[in-house]
Amino acid sequence: HDQEEALTVADRIAVMNDGRVEQCGTPIDIYRNPTTSFVAQFLGITNLVNADAQGACAHCALGCVDINTESSGDILLSVRPEQLAIDISSSGEGMLGVVLNREFKGHDQFYDVQVDTETFVVMTDHRSTFESGDRVHLRMTEPAVVVNRN
């Protein structure tokens, strides 16, 4: 089935995996708050990030990030490309990374940015001018979503 069409026209969606319902809810809720890594990946692009949580904060390659639900210990986060901001500012806000490549789509762009040993997909509008090799700062713009591993 077409995920984009389902997100556009449905009032409620049930995401199934191997014959069982993984998550059911409104398109907005399921997209913004997937409960499993399968659902997060099924409904669009996401960065799955291992982290160590302590309350409402988790430590990962992106630094100490806010999370949507208090947790403790090893967790998995879903971070959508639009939840990340990329900046060349000298303020140093966010984690330092390197642009690996850019995919221009007209109205928006996708960048692959390497931070330490992890690569993150970041979405920006069409006006961004980052190029491969640029050193940039990457930061979260909203809390990451804790998901169950599949």
Side-chain angles (χ1 to χ4, degrees), residues 11-87:
D11 293 329
R12 294 189 55 77
I13 295 175
V15 177
M16 296 183 70
N17 183 12
D18 287 333
R20 64 181 175 81
V21 175
E22 288 262 333
Q23 187 173 352
C24 187
T26 66
I28 291 173
D29 187 49
I30 290 178
Y31 181 82
R32 290 184 181 163
N33 298 293
T35 56
T36 68
S37 59
F38 176 83
V39 172
Q41 291 175 306
F42 187 76
L43 291 179
I45 300 169
T46 193
N47 298 285
L48 294 176
V49 183
N50 290 306
D52 179 37
Q54 295 175 351
C57 175
H59 298 278
C60 64
L62 295 168
C64 183
V65 299
D66 292 336
I67 54 179
N68 69 328
T69 185
E70 290 198 8
S71 302
S72 64
D74 291 333
I75 60 170
L76 185 64
L77 302 174
S78 172
V79 177
R80 298 280 185 203
E82 61 270 20
Q83 290 178 288
L84 293 167
I86 185 173
D87 187 2

